[in-house]
Amino acid sequence: MRAGVGLVLGARARLRWVHLVLGGALLMPYFLLAQVVVGVWAGQGGFFSSIPVTFASYGLSLPLAAATAVFGLVRPLSAGAVRALCGVPGERLAAGPARSWAARGRTSAWWTLHLGVGAVLSGISLAVPPMAVVLIALPFVSGLRSAELGLGRLSTGAAPYVAPLLGIGLLGGLALCAAAAGALLARMAPVLLGPTAADRLAAAEERAADLAVRNRLARELHDAVGHALSAVSLQAVAARRVLDSDPGFVREALAAIEDTTRRTVGELDAVLGLLRDADPARSDAAPAPTLAADLDGLLARTRAAGTAVTVHQDPGPAGNWEQLPAIASREAYRIVQEGLSNALRHGTGPVGLWIAVRDTEEGTLRELEITMTNPPGPAGPQPRTTGGRGLRGAAERATLLGGRVEAGPHRGQWRLRAVLPLGAGSR
């Protein structure tokens, strides 16, 4: 019993009733316009001049409402009202404007249903409560029985004492009609306002773009902070071991630690700036490191950590790395940084680094090739980044440019090889 009363008079039912009354209010401009058209056609002036004109105006107002519902903003407004008042979960409703004609047609059907049913229920809600109050009060107010209210036999004999039951029945019927109409709209909302296949595709593309941005920021943090922590840790360990015997080396190590942390704080601020306002072109953000401007410093910090690095560089016909495309120079720097971080954390012995611009075998394209080798660590040749995030990030960087990354044991060494396409070749 209590559950049934809750379905009819509970908070959700009352909110759905409000939603229906809102639909009736939204139909009024269409209805008044239709009243003018129908009144002129029927030769009758004034609003609500007759019941046939009123019903004809109601019938004409529905296609007028349906025609205006093809505008894109009707769907998000309707979905927001349904989400707030009808108790329909948001994931079952489309979030943005209707773009395709199929979605607009479904929105138009919803708009017509909401306004049409809402107008009928609003009219009943205005008419029934006053009538029910009169019927309930009829046995107790003699003036009502003698008044000209059109009640007929209900105002004579013993009939007035039955009238309160009829009034209560009218109120109960109104509540049942409102609950049924609200449940109908709540059931139809996901059907008519739910996302189409195009909406789902657009949402998936938006999530994919957001995920790509998150992955890029994660790569930047991993590469910048991970390399800095590895280098600083090894520099601190090396300085502690020779603290008493080689003060000069200790001073160099501390200077390298200072330089590494300063640069890393700048890179971290740039990444956090992207997180704050998603604007990679901020003028106050620190510039991203590149192969042309920052490779020498990266190598110097790695050597200061106690790891020997031999480098072979061949920038190609340009003669320097400044001629590289900016994005290729940035991603190449990060790949080299990740390779050196792996060598610092997991490798032993010297690191060999080859960076060269070369033409492909067909001679139509130019590629930047990065090869890094070093002896494997005590555990033997194996992938050597925590959770594999570093190598995965390097591979993602290369893939974004149409290149590739290979990492694994090679002739007794651990080798990281990356190839990044640059564009037209020289021949």
Side-chain angles (χ1 to χ4, degrees):
M1 181 65 179
R2 182 178 298 178
V5 173
L7 288 175
V8 177
L9 297 176
R12 176 167 294 180
R14 294 196 300 271
L15 287 175
R16 289 176 177 176
W17 199 336
V18 171
H19 182 251
L20 288 163
V21 173
L22 175 63
L26 291 172
L27 186 70
M28 284 304 297
Y30 305 102
F31 179 77
L32 295 177
L33 176 61
Q35 276 264 311
V36 173
V37 174
V38 173
V40 171
W41 177 77
Q44 299 183 20
F47 295 110
F48 307 102
S49 55
S50 69
I51 292 179
V53 169
T54 299
F55 278 103
S57 301
Y58 172 77
L60 179 60
S61 65
L62 295 181
L64 291 177
T68 60
V70 299
F71 294 102
L73 290 179
V74 172
R75 188 171 71 169
L77 293 175
S78 298
V82 169
R83 191 180 298 113
L85 299 175
C86 293
V88 179
E91 63 270 12
R92 301 183 63 188
L93 303 172
R99 296 179 176 86
S100 66
W101 283 108
R104 293 180 181 181
R106 291 165 56 191
T107 304
S108 179
W110 164 261
W111 189 248
T112 306
L113 177 66
H114 178 205
L115 272 59
V117 175
V120 172
L121 190 77
S122 297
I124 298 174
S125 299
L126 289 173
V128 167
M131 183 182 300
V133 170
V134 169
L135 291 174
I136 293 173
L138 192 61
F140 312 104
V141 182
S142 59
L144 290 176
R145 294 195 296 272
S146 60
E148 295 293 334
L149 298 177
L151 296 177
R153 293 181 180 179
L154 286 175
S155 60
T156 63
Y161 298 97
V162 182
L165 296 178
L166 182 57
I168 294 173
L170 286 175
L171 292 177
L174 173 60
L176 286 173
C177 288
L184 171 67
L185 291 185
R187 183 179 293 272
M188 294 301 298
V191 177
L192 299 177
L193 294 178
T196 62
D199 294 325
R200 294 188 181 94
L201 179 60
E205 291 176 347
E206 184 177 352
R207 287 194 297 270
D210 181 67
L211 183 60
V213 172
R214 291 173 179 269
N215 286 340
R216 181 170 69 89
L217 296 177
R219 287 195 302 267
E220 294 293 328
L221 286 172
H222 175 275
D223 292 350
V225 178
H227 175 79
L229 291 177
S230 299
V232 166
S233 176
L234 291 176
Q235 289 161 351
V237 169
R240 179 175 56 82
R241 289 177 177 175
V242 297
L243 181 61
D244 297 325
S245 59
D246 193 349
F249 178 82
V250 172
R251 284 192 294 271
E252 293 178 1
L254 291 176
I257 290 173
E258 179 184 3
D259 179 64
T260 300
T261 53
R262 183 186 300 111
R263 291 182 58 84
T264 304
V265 167
E267 293 182 26
L268 183 61
D269 179 69
V271 175
L272 294 179
L274 295 178
L275 285 173
R276 282 193 297 268
D277 56 14
D279 183 7
R282 291 192 326 138
S283 59
D284 61 329
T290 62
L291 202 65
D294 302 281
L295 177 61
D296 291 340
L298 176 63
L299 297 174
R301 292 190 296 275
T302 303
R303 291 175 177 131
T307 299
V309 183
T310 58
V311 183
H312 172 75
Q313 302 185 53
D314 182 8
N320 58 70
W321 299 121
E322 293 180 357
Q323 303 302 317
L324 288 178
I327 187 172
S329 186
R330 292 195 300 268
E331 300 305 320
Y333 175 89
R334 291 302 192 193
I335 292 173
V336 172
Q337 186 182 53
E338 174 56 31
L340 293 176
S341 297
N342 281 342
L344 289 174
R345 287 197 297 266
H346 306 287
T348 59
V351 177
L353 174 62
W354 291 264
I355 310 177
V357 174
R358 61 180 180 82
D359 293 336
T360 60
E361 294 180 358
E362 296 80 6
T364 57
L365 295 175
R366 186 175 295 132
E367 297 175 332
L368 174 64
E369 182 176 352
I370 301 169
T371 304
M372 192 176 307
T373 61
N374 66 282
Q382 55 184 356
R384 298 163 296 163
T385 56
T386 304
R389 287 184 292 270
L391 293 180
R392 190 185 310 122
E396 289 172 353
R397 291 179 184 279
T399 302
L400 288 174
L401 299 181
R404 62 188 184 278
V405 167
E406 304 166 358
H410 180 76
R411 297 180 181 178
Q413 299 271 316
W414 178 268
R415 185 182 72 165
L416 172 68
R417 180 174 179 268
V419 177
L420 308 178
L422 299 178
S426 58
R427 287 182 291 180

